């Protein structure tokens, strides 16, 4: 049974799903209809949201090798894998997915931050106010059962990135926290530096 989360809520993944080893983190969003009126109207450029995972050691980002995103689809440990870039967010369901092998992640990693930013947001003058129906959900890879889902309902106008949530280890158990924090970071590099 899936748990619907609110901003700031946490859920114990290990306790609710005995034997949990691997999860699929699905992120989705829809682009709002943009209207440009007038005789010389043009079709605005599609908003390209990119999901990423930032692996932290003792709560800190210590190496660019610990970024998993469209430019580095697999962590060096093979425990975190990005399933590919969706350039438009079109279609139903998850737009991008990140698979995390919780059972095999080295104990030196205690937190995996799941974020999304808009590709070339500053140059394209785009922000998350152009996005609606954003969500993050966690699925048990053994049976494709959705464990929890967090629908981001805030207005993120002016924000170029969002920290969706965190998968973290506490007292030997894996938990998830729904964060939903918008930022003005222009790219993944700046976003990841928040954790240095």
């Amino acid at each position: 049974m899936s748990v619907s989360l609110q901003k700031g809520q946490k859920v114990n993944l290990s306790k609710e799903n005995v034997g949990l080893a691997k999860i699929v983190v699905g992120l989705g969003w829809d682009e709002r209809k943009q209207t440009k009126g007038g005789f010389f109207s043009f079709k605005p450029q599609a908003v390209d949201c990119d999901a990423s995972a930032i692996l932290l050691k003792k709560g800190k980002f210590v190496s660019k090798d610990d970024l998993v995103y469209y430019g580095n689809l697999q962590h060096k440990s093979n425990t975190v894998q990005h399933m590919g870039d969706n350039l438009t967010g079109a279609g139903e369901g998850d737009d991008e997915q990140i698979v995390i092998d919780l059972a095999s992640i080295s104990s030196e990693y205690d937190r995996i931050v799941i974020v999304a930013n808009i590709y070339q947001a500053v140059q394209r003058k785009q922000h998350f106010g152009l996005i609606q129906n954003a969500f993050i959900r966690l699925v048990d890879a053994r049976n494709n059962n959705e464990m929890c889902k967090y629908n981001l309902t805030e207005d993120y106008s002016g924000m170029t990135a969002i920290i969706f949530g965190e998968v973290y280890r506490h007292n030997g158990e894996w938990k998830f926290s729904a964060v939903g924090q918008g930022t003005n970071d222009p790219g993944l590099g700046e976003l990841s530096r928040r954790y240095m």
Side-chain angles (χ1 to χ4, degrees):
M1 187 176 93
S2 181
V3 177
S4 183
L5 299 175
Q6 302 296 317
K7 184 174 183 171
Q9 231 178 333
K10 297 173 172 49
V11 64
N12 187 325
L13 302 174
S14 299
K15 189 177 281 184
E16 302 300 322
N17 304 277
V18 177
L20 182 68
K22 191 180 282 191
I23 61 171
V24 178
V25 180
L27 294 98
W29 45 77
D30 295 318
E31 190 172 343
R32 290 186 191 278
K33 294 281 183 253
Q34 298 180 54
T35 55
K36 294 282 184 186
F39 185 71
F40 296 105
S41 63
F42 63 93
K43 188 175 189 307
Q45 194 164 17
V47 180
D48 178 9
C49 297
D50 294 318
S52 306
I54 306 169
L55 284 77
L56 306 181
K57 293 178 179 176
K58 294 183 181 165
K60 297 287 185 192
F61 174 65
V62 296
S63 168
K64 64 179 174 59
D65 292 338
D66 292 333
L67 281 179
V68 178
Y69 66 109
Y70 69 87
N72 178 38
L73 293 174
Q74 188 147 319
H75 189 258
K76 60 187 177 186
S77 65
N78 297 325
T79 56
V80 180
Q81 182 177 1
H82 193 298
M83 301 309 290
D85 192 13
N86 178 331
L87 300 177
T88 65
E92 295 295 314
D94 300 338
D95 291 310
E96 295 191 8
Q97 292 181 330
I98 297 169
V99 178
I100 304 174
D101 186 350
L102 299 174
S104 303
I105 290 180
S106 168
S107 59
E108 64 185 335
Y109 293 103
D110 60 346
R111 192 170 294 264
I112 302 164
V113 184
I114 308 296
V115 301
N117 64 291
I118 297 175
Y119 180 71
Q120 294 186 336
V122 175
Q123 298 91 315
R124 296 179 177 190
K125 296 181 173 51
Q126 295 176 335
H127 55 86
F128 273 95
L130 302 172
I131 296 296
Q132 62 186 358
N133 306 323
F135 67 84
I136 180 171
R137 66 189 197 107
L138 275 61
V139 175
D140 186 336
R142 293 175 297 187
N143 50 26
N144 287 328
N145 283 345
E146 182 178 280
M147 298 179 289
C148 61
K149 185 173 185 178
Y150 168 42
N151 291 304
L152 284 73
T153 55
E154 288 183 32
D155 179 6
Y156 292 98
S157 291
M159 300 296 167
T160 54
I162 298 177
I163 301 166
F164 273 67
E166 297 181 351
V167 176
Y168 65 98
R169 194 185 332 234
H170 182 71
N171 292 334
E173 294 182 323
W174 285 102
K175 301 182 179 191
F176 174 73
S177 175
V179 178
Q181 177 189 343
T183 80
N184 289 310
D185 295 305
L188 183 57
E190 294 82 1
L191 194 52
S192 59
R193 282 197 279 279
R194 290 178 167 265
Y195 298 96
M196 294 180 94

